[in-house]
């Protein structure tokens, strides 16, 4: 407890038990899949296939060359049906390549597997880029970029904290694919030229900690670190601060760290070992309004409606369908959006309205804000259209983790109001 | 199937503002119950009923004001009343007032607190000043005479300290007199003494404050820093003044004058305090310093309330000063807190030089007045020597009738009840015809309870052994205060003897 700072984080009930002990449910692609043309920074894609083309599982169908290169591969075999605009999990309608599934799942290797032990660092980075590995924590940032510029890295931090409620996809990946994950981690550590890889797991997940500790017992330079069961401990800055006891300005490498999600290591291992790019998603379908919450494994591009159906359907008529976790995921008003490469969850919650009252400036939002912002005051200055003040309050540094709105006892949409402030500032800059 | 849109996050914690306000209300009612019990037990049901009437008045005025406003603004009545939390202001206001507050004054103050203090600012969450403190300031400023003069509950520790002690005394007797008056420090801590209804029991308030802080209804920093700074600053003042057994002094400061109540229920009001922990710490420290300064320098018992209002006013400035990312402001916070602490301690040092510690009053010399034998009034009285008797020891006793107040002023007086007779004296002079042996009053006809004061031996004995030939003035001492005319009557009798002896 600090005299001059609030907790800057908060424990949120995880509801992990809904799915953490269940076996993974394999969901096959339906008659059509819709592959999103999405990268974290751009939607400018060069589509390499044309309507009527036959593709296989693993055929490269598109590539983004806007600043950072990201290839996209087909997740099924079948015929290209064209390009369609569909609502994406990022809450924007985006181009999706539609592929009619022939059900054969014929495969081709877009690239050869690679032995990370014999490959050089540069070869590994080029391989990672070619495999289209993007961050599996949810943001989908191209992973190779972090390693390309890596210098003086002391620690590779593997985020297995999974701090969003309901989600157990990382957990279940570790439960089932720990060996592969360790291959991915060792390869990444080599790319980072880090002394040590630290796997951050929540303190409260004692069984998982034991399991991973046993698995890394004979590996030098890989260890497990128990982190507090708080939100958002999985945020890059929060983890770096916890592990390195240091802050940084722009990039974690300033503090001598690279942070990657444990599922990213798993995706990378799949590429290294099996020559498989990210063509499937392992994600948690959970929440209080889905009949059988479970982790599903499905080809990329399968619509949410099919996934929910595989989980027994909805339990009520009015739901909030959230692409990703309950804290940061966006609600989408239809279930046509599809399983994405970086998607780790679909959360389905029964709609409940919150009885909000006026803000009393209690300051709890300021206390929990992991960035140390003052959401209540940012919102006030946004209402007053006081841009100078919004800038002074560093509104743009908000990571939209949602904790301020979660904590707000007056049940106000604090996070959304801070977003409005950010929009105001962004508009003013234009 | 309906897919509802809502902005992230889609989870909310359990605690709600409504629940916080409910818990605050319960805590306030516990304080009120303690107060009712105290007044019932110590002063009887009449006082408890007065306390009940006060609560009924404040709540009644609050709801009438809010209903009228809701009607005027065409608000949803039920929703408006349930989310305006006006009753909390009303209860706090009642708990600040002493039991002898007039109901009309309390009603006016409540109206002011609710309407001006809250509604005009824009309602719950918008007010700049703590509305209860605003209402209470109104009572003090405008209805100073609004208290029923009540001797039983009138003297509170804080008012005694302010009026009788100048806020500082080094005299052990005075200290123990002060503390004994309210049954000692422990009793001050327990709160078994008259004062603001809910302000007395520091113990109860601290326990409730701790529970509210644990339940995250209030922030522990504010009460702790506020009370802590009052304790430290008053300790410093005691030490600067050279007090030897000084520990009672800070305890007295913390246990009286409603600071514990203010700390737990008013200063911690989120609406009127800064948003961040850093701002709250500066806010609470500032309030502590101002409270002690108002007490000792302005010699006013209301330091707590005014400090809250002043700091409320400074809240926007404090928020402004702590704009930015909180981690980057830690250094600035420490600097601010240190500078404030030094200023506080420095002002205590200066205050120590400005205050004169109260000293016990020296026993006053009895008032005496000398009246000359040549006094005009004495000479205007008529007297006659009725006769004299030679005693066996050679002394002579003279019987004299001399006019007094009744005989002289008689005709001018309203119905007096008995004839306006002169007074009669027997004056014995020793054989040397000089030394007075005794002066006696044989008949006193002046005003009852006044004139007959001269029968007092302390007055008459002054003449014994004096030389009547040189007796030029008479001491009118304290026992005969108010009996000037009768004293002059006795002097006229002595003058008659003096004349008879040829002096």
């Amino acid at each position: 407890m600090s005299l001059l700072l609030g907790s800057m984080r908060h424990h949120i009930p995880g509801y992990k038990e809904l799915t953490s002990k269940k076996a993974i449910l394999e969901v096959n692609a339906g008659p059509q899949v819709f592959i999103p043309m999405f990268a974290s920074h751009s939607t400018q894609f060069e589509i390499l296939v044309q309507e009527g083309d036959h593709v296989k599982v693993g055929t490269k169908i598109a590539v983004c060359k806007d600043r950072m290169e990201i290839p996209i591969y087909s997740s099924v075999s079948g015929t290209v049906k064209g390009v369609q605009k569909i609502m994406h999990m990022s809450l924007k309608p985006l181009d999706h390549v539609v592929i009619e599934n022939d059900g054969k799942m014929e495969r081709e290797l877009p690239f050869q597997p690679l032995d990370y032990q014999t490959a050089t660092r540069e070869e590994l980075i080029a391989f990672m880029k070619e495999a289209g590995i993007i961050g599996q924590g949810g943001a989908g940032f191209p992973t190779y970029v972090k390693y390309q510029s890596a210098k003086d890295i002391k620690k590779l931090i593997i985020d297995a904290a999974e701090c969003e409620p309901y989600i157990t996809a990382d957990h279940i990946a570790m439960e089932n694919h720990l060996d592969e994950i360790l291959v991915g981690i060792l390869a990444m550590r080599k790319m980072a030229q880090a002394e040590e890889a630290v796997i951050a797991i929540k303190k409260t997940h004692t069984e998982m900690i034991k399991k991973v500790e046993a698995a890394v017992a004979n590996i030098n330079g890989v260890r497990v670190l128990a982190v507090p069961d708080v939100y958002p401990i999985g945020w890059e800055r929060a983890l770096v601060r916890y592990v390195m006891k240091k802050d940084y300005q722009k990039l974690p490498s300033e503090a001598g760290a690279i942070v990657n999600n444990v599922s990213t290591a798993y995706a990378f291992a799949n590429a290294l070992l099996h020559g498989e790019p990210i063509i499937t998603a392992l994600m948690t379908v959970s929440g209080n309004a889905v009949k059988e919450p479970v982790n599903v494994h499905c080809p990329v591009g399968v619509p949410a409606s099919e996934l929910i159906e595989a989980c027994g359907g909805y339990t009520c008529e009015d739901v909030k369908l959230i692409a990703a976790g309950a804290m940061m995921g966006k609600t989408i008003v239809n279930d046509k959006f599809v399983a994405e490469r970086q998607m780790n969850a679909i959360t389905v919650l029964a709609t409940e309205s919150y009885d909000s009252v006026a803000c009393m400036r209690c300051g709890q939002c300021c206390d929990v804000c992991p960035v140390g912002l003052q959401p209540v005051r940012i919102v006030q200055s946004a209402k007053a259209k006081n841009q100078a003040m919004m800038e002074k309050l560093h509104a743009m540094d908000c990571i939209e983790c949602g904790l301020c709105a979660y904590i707000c006892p007056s049940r106000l949409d604090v996070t959304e109001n801070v977003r409005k402030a950010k929009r105001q500032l962004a508009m003013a800059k234009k | 199937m309906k897919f509802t849109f809502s902005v992230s996050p889609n989870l909310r914690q359990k605690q709600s503002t409504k629940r916080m306000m409910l818990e605050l209300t319960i805590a306030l009612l516990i304080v009120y119950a303690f107060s009712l019990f105290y007044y019932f037990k110590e002063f009887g049901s009449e006082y408890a009923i007065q306390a009940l009437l006060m609560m009924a008045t404040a709540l009644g005025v609050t709801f009438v004001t809010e209903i009228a406003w809701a009607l005027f603004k065409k608000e949803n009545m039920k929703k408006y009343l349930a989310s305006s939390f006006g009753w909390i202001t009303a209860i706090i206001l009642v708990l600040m007032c002493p039991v002898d507050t007039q109901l009309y004054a309390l009603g006016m103050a409540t109206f002011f607190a609710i309407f001006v203090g809250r509604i005009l600012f824009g309602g719950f969450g918008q007010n700049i000043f703590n509305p209860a403190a605003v209402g209470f300031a109104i009572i003090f400023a405008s209805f100073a005479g609004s208290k029923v003069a009540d001797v039983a509950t009138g003297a509170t520790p804080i008012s005694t300290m302010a009026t009788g002690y100048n806020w500082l005394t080094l005299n052990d007797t005075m200290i123990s007199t002060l503390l004994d008056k309210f049954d000692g420090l422990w009793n001050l801590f327990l709160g078994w003494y008259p004062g603001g209804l809910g302000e007395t029991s520091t113990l109860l308030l601290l326990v409730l404050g701790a529970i509210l802080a644990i339940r995250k209804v209030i922030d522990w920093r504010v009460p702790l820093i506020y009370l802590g700074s009052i304790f430290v600053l008053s300790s410093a003042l005691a030490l600067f003044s050279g007090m030897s057994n000084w520990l009672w002094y800070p305890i007295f400061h913390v246990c009286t004058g409603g600071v514990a109540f203010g700390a737990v229920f008013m200063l911690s009001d989120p609406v009127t305090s800064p948003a961040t922990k850093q701002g709250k710490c500066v806010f609470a420290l500032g309030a502590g310093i101002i409270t002690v300064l108002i007490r000792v320098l302005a010699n006013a018992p209301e330091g707590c309330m005014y400090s809250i209002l002043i700091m409320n006013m400074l809240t926007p400035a404090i928020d402004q000063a702590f704009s930015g990312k909180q981690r980057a402001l830690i250094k600035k916070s420490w600097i601010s807190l240190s500078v404030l602490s030094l200023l506080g301690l420095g002002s205590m040092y200066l205050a120590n030089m400005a205050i004169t510690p109260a000293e016990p009053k020296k026993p006053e010399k009895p008032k005496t007045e000398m009246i000359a034998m040549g006094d005009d009034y004495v000479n205007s009285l008529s007297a006659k020597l009725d006769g004299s008797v030679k005693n066996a020891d050679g002394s002579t006793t003279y019987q004299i009738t001399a006019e007094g107040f009744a005989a002289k002023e008689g005709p001018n007086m309203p119905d007096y009840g008995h004839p306006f007779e002169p007074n009669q004296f027997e004056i014995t002079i020793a054989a040397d015809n000089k030394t007075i042996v005794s002066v006696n009053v044989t008949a006193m006809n002046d005003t009852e309870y006044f004139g007959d004061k001269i029968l007092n031996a302390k007055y008459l004995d002054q003449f014994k052994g004096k030389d009547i030939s040189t007796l030029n003035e008479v001491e009118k001492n304290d026992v005969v205060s108010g009996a000037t005319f009768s004293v002059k009557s006795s002097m006229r009798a002595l003058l008659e003897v003096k004349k008879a002896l040829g002096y």
Side-chain angles (χ1 to χ4, degrees):
Chain A
M1 207 181 296
S2 156
L3 180 70
L4 294 173
L5 288 174
S7 58
M8 300 184 81
R9 59 196 199 185
H10 195 72
H11 170 74
I12 294 179
Y15 308 106
K16 308 275 189 186
E17 65 291 345
L18 289 175
T19 51
S20 63
K21 299 275 188 245
K22 290 185 191 165
I24 298 172
L25 176 69
E26 291 291 338
V27 179
N28 295 323
Q32 286 187 326
V33 294
F34 308 84
I35 312 236
M37 298 293 106
F38 172 83
S40 61
H41 66 291
S42 171
T43 54
Q44 304 294 313
F45 276 81
E46 184 188 333
I47 297 174
L48 306 170
V49 289
Q50 288 179 345
E51 200 174 329
D53 280 4
H54 184 76
V55 293
K56 292 182 180 172
V57 177
T59 305
K60 192 194 269 193
I61 56 170
V63 65
C64 170
K65 288 195 165 161
D66 183 9
R67 284 166 289 166
M68 294 179 277
E69 189 176 325
I70 300 169
I72 291 179
Y73 300 89
S74 172
S75 63
V76 293
S77 60
T79 313
V80 176
K81 279 289 166 189
V83 178
Q84 207 179 316
K85 268 216 187 315
I86 305 177
M87 182 63 84
H88 183 254
M89 66 179 282
S90 58
L91 207 56
K92 286 177 203 131
L94 289 185
D95 284 343
H96 288 56
V97 172
V98 185
I99 300 171
E100 197 167 69
N101 181 14
D102 62 9
K104 292 179 191 152
M105 297 301 273
E106 284 177 276
R107 300 183 84 92
E108 68 170 49
L109 284 188
F111 44 81
Q112 289 301 312
L114 184 68
D115 182 355
Y116 78 90
Q117 284 171 311
T118 55
T120 64
R121 175 174 176 260
E122 286 69 29
E123 279 168 349
L124 282 168
I125 292 173
F127 179 85
M128 185 181 250
K129 182 173 173 182
E130 177 60 17
I133 303 300
I134 56 171
Q136 297 294 293
F141 185 78
T143 309
Y144 77 91
V145 178
K146 292 188 183 183
Y147 293 92
Q148 219 170 27
S149 56
K151 224 172 62 186
D152 304 324
I153 300 300
K154 294 203 172 51
K155 281 180 183 156
L156 167 68
I157 303 172
I158 298 296
D159 169 20
E162 204 160 44
C163 58
E164 272 261 11
Y166 291 107
I167 308 180
T168 56
D170 290 350
H171 179 88
I172 218 83
M174 286 193 284
E175 199 71 69
N176 289 283
H177 306 288
L178 191 53
D179 291 342
E180 285 112 310
I181 288 172
L182 288 176
V183 169
I185 291 175
L186 290 171
M188 286 166 148
R189 192 186 67 181
K190 185 171 181 181
M191 289 156 71
Q193 293 174 311
E195 296 153 13
E196 189 181 42
V198 179
I199 306 173
I201 304 176
K202 274 186 182 169
K203 250 175 218 166
T204 43
H205 299 177
T206 45
E207 281 175 38
M208 182 55 71
I209 291 177
K210 269 186 208 149
K211 184 184 156 101
V212 181
E213 268 176 350
V216 301
N218 295 318
I219 309 176
N220 273 336
V222 180
R223 68 179 171 101
V224 175
L225 180 71
V227 297
D229 184 1
V230 292
Y231 182 88
I233 189 71
W235 174 42
E236 202 164 58
R237 262 174 213 274
L239 264 186
V240 170
R241 166 166 259 279
Y242 190 82
V243 177
M244 312 299 291
K245 317 278 177 240
K246 262 189 208 164
D247 283 319
Y248 57 87
Q249 290 293 319
K250 279 199 134 126
L251 294 169
S253 55
E254 294 163 30
I258 285 186
V259 183
N260 263 140
N261 195 273
V262 68
S263 288
T264 312
Y266 176 46
F268 189 38
N270 270 333
L272 288 167
L273 297 169
H274 314 300
E276 185 185 303
I278 306 179
I279 48 172
T280 59
L282 175 58
M283 65 165 111
T284 310
V285 178
S286 187
N288 61 16
V290 62
K291 207 165 262 170
E292 284 158 32
V294 72
N295 278 287
V296 299
H297 184 232
C298 68
V300 167
V302 173
S305 55
E306 291 174 26
L307 295 172
I308 303 284
E309 209 178 290
C311 298
Y314 303 101
T315 58
C316 59
E317 272 304 301
D318 189 350
V319 297
K320 289 182 192 170
L321 185 59
I322 306 160
M327 291 298 289
M328 289 186 78
K330 301 191 160 65
T331 55
I332 300 193
V333 291
N334 61 54
D335 51 7
K336 305 262 185 323
F337 71 92
V338 298
E340 244 290 36
R341 290 161 298 155
Q342 74 274 21
M343 195 188 251
N344 53 12
I346 293 178
T347 309
V348 192
L349 298 175
T351 301
E352 55 172 321
S353 59
Y354 301 114
D355 192 8
S356 62
V357 298
C359 171
M360 57 171 170
R361 291 169 37 85
C362 65
Q364 288 197 54
C365 49
C366 308
D367 301 343
V368 295
C369 178
V371 191
L373 301 178
Q374 303 176 32
V376 54
R377 296 190 53 220
I378 293 176
V379 173
Q380 279 176 343
S381 23
K383 280 183 183 150
K385 301 208 169 15
N386 184 346
Q387 275 160 14
M389 191 37 115
M390 280 189 271
E391 260 165 39
K392 206 173 169 197
L393 292 167
H394 296 270
M396 281 316 229
D397 290 352
C398 167
I399 57 164
E400 303 181 23
C401 68
L403 206 47
C404 48
Y406 173 85
I407 208 79
C408 179
S410 288
R411 306 269 190 266
L412 299 167
D413 289 322
V414 189
T415 313
E416 181 61 15
N417 291 333
V418 176
R419 279 188 204 114
K420 284 179 187 160
K422 289 169 79 174
R423 261 175 251 147
Q424 258 193 51
L425 283 179
M427 292 286 278
K429 282 236 170 79
K430 272 180 189 168
Chain B
M1 198 61 216
K2 187 183 172 200
F3 297 106
T4 302
F5 177 78
S6 80
V7 292
S8 72
N10 284 290
L11 285 180
R12 292 289 192 273
Q13 67 146 337
K14 284 208 188 81
Q15 189 191 42
S16 70
T17 299
K18 285 188 176 176
R19 202 162 107 182
M20 289 163 81
M21 292 298 147
L22 180 70
E23 288 180 22
L24 201 61
T25 309
I26 292 170
L28 285 166
L29 289 179
I30 291 172
V31 175
Y32 181 58
F34 168 84
S35 179
L36 282 181
F37 179 68
Y38 166 74
Y39 283 102
F40 180 75
K41 190 108 195 300
E42 289 290 306
F43 300 102
S45 57
E46 210 180 307
Y47 283 79
I49 288 170
Q50 161 75 2
L52 284 169
L53 286 175
M54 285 168 68
M55 186 60 84
T57 305
L59 287 176
V61 169
T62 300
F63 284 117
V64 167
T65 310
E66 289 193 333
I67 287 171
W69 182 254
L71 285 174
F72 175 65
K73 293 290 281 184
K74 299 193 173 58
E75 300 262 1
N76 176 337
M77 184 68 70
K78 203 175 152 198
K79 194 164 179 245
Y80 181 79
L81 291 183
S83 59
S84 71
F85 309 111
W87 69 83
I88 290 184
T89 298
I91 300 174
I92 290 178
L93 182 55
V94 169
L95 293 182
M96 289 174 84
C97 291
V99 75
D100 53 3
T101 307
Q102 290 276 27
L103 294 182
Y104 76 87
L106 178 62
M108 285 299 291
T110 311
F111 173 77
F112 209 84
I114 296 294
F115 190 70
V116 179
R118 292 180 64 128
I119 291 176
L120 284 191
F121 277 103
F124 177 68
Q126 303 289 318
N127 46 300
I128 291 173
F129 295 104
N130 185 309
V134 170
F136 191 69
I138 294 300
I139 294 192
F140 255 86
S142 313
F143 299 101
S146 70
K147 293 198 199 159
V148 188
D150 186 337
V151 183
T153 61
T156 63
I158 203 88
S159 66
T160 310
M161 186 66 150
T163 54
Y165 285 80
N166 212 13
W167 277 103
L168 191 62
T169 180
L170 304 179
N171 183 282
D172 287 339
T173 327
M174 281 186 79
I175 294 169
S176 51
T177 312
L178 174 68
L179 296 182
D180 286 349
K181 190 169 175 185
F182 301 102
D183 299 324
L185 277 181
W186 178 243
N187 192 54
L188 280 180
F189 185 60
L190 291 180
W192 206 252
Y193 63 87
L197 285 184
E199 293 184 340
T200 56
S201 183
T202 305
L203 173 67
L204 179 65
L205 289 162
L206 290 184
V207 169
L208 288 172
I211 294 173
L212 290 174
I214 289 168
R215 298 194 56 79
K216 300 239 161 94
V217 177
I218 62 170
D219 190 345
W220 56 270
R221 291 165 180 79
V222 173
L224 193 77
I225 292 184
Y226 180 61
L227 295 177
S229 60
I230 292 177
F231 190 94
V232 170
L233 290 176
S234 48
S235 298
L237 178 60
L239 291 173
F240 286 144
S241 74
M243 204 181 283
S244 46
N245 289 317
W246 56 274
L247 199 58
W248 71 274
Y249 188 71
I251 295 177
F252 186 93
H253 267 273
V254 169
C255 289
T256 59
V259 290
F261 182 81
V264 174
F265 289 111
M266 299 177 72
L267 214 55
S268 60
D269 169 23
V271 178
T272 52
S273 56
T276 61
K277 305 283 187 212
Q278 299 163 352
K280 284 185 166 94
C281 289
V282 171
F283 172 83
L285 180 58
I289 295 171
I290 294 175
T291 301
V292 180
L293 280 180
I294 290 183
R295 281 183 170 184
V296 301
L297 288 184
N299 200 12
E302 305 85 26
C304 176
M305 177 198 64
Y306 285 123
S307 76
I308 291 171
L309 288 174
I310 291 171
M311 291 315 291
N312 285 165
M313 200 163 64
L314 293 176
T315 290
I318 295 173
D319 265 340
Q320 192 77 19
F322 292 93
S323 296
K325 285 198 198 176
Q326 295 177 60
R327 237 197 264 277
L329 291 167
I330 288 187
K331 204 172 153 193
K332 188 174 182 182
S333 311
W334 279 122
I335 293 173
S336 312
L337 290 172
S338 312
V339 168
L340 267 183
S341 305
L342 286 176
L343 276 177
L345 290 172
S347 63
M348 283 306 111
Y349 186 74
L350 295 177
N352 170 53
M353 301 203 275
I355 304 172
T356 325
E359 289 288 340
K361 287 174 186 150
K362 290 194 180 100
E364 271 179 46
K365 270 196 174 169
K367 270 190 184 170
T368 54
E369 191 188 334
M370 303 307 290
I371 300 175
M373 292 300 264
D375 181 90
D376 286 345
Y377 194 84
V378 173
N379 287 299
S380 76
L381 296 170
S382 64
K384 71 174 187 352
L385 183 63
D386 295 328
S388 60
V389 178
K390 200 96 176 161
N391 299 317
D393 60 357
S395 61
T396 314
T397 300
Y398 301 88
Q399 287 114 16
I400 299 125
T401 300
E403 264 187 333
F405 184 68
K408 170 91 173 158
E409 308 292 339
N412 304 325
M413 284 166 46
D415 187 14
Y416 186 67
H418 64 84
F420 306 117
E421 296 288 338
N423 305 318
Q424 293 181 353
F425 302 86
E426 277 188 356
I427 297 167
T428 306
I429 305 292
D432 61 1
N433 278 345
K434 276 184 178 167
T435 313
I436 302 170
V437 177
S438 68
V439 178
N440 287 319
V441 186
T442 49
M444 164 48 61
N445 292 318
D446 284 349
T447 322
E448 216 172 345
Y449 305 121
F450 287 97
D452 49 16
K453 280 183 183 171
I454 65 163
L455 300 180
N456 193 309
K458 197 177 166 193
Y459 171 69
L460 295 175
D461 286 354
Q462 68 169 300
F463 300 107
K464 280 186 184 164
K466 283 207 171 135
D467 183 350
I468 193 163
S469 65
T470 57
L471 185 71
N472 288 323
E473 54 183 12
V474 167
E475 185 183 309
K476 176 186 167 247
N477 58 26
D478 57 328
V479 297
V480 289
S481 70
T484 312
F485 295 106
S486 306
V487 167
K488 288 180 177 172
S489 175
S490 66
M491 288 170 70
R492 182 66 187 84
L494 280 160
L495 200 62
E496 198 58 26
V497 175
K498 205 175 166 181
K499 277 184 191 160
L501 290 170
Y503 300 122

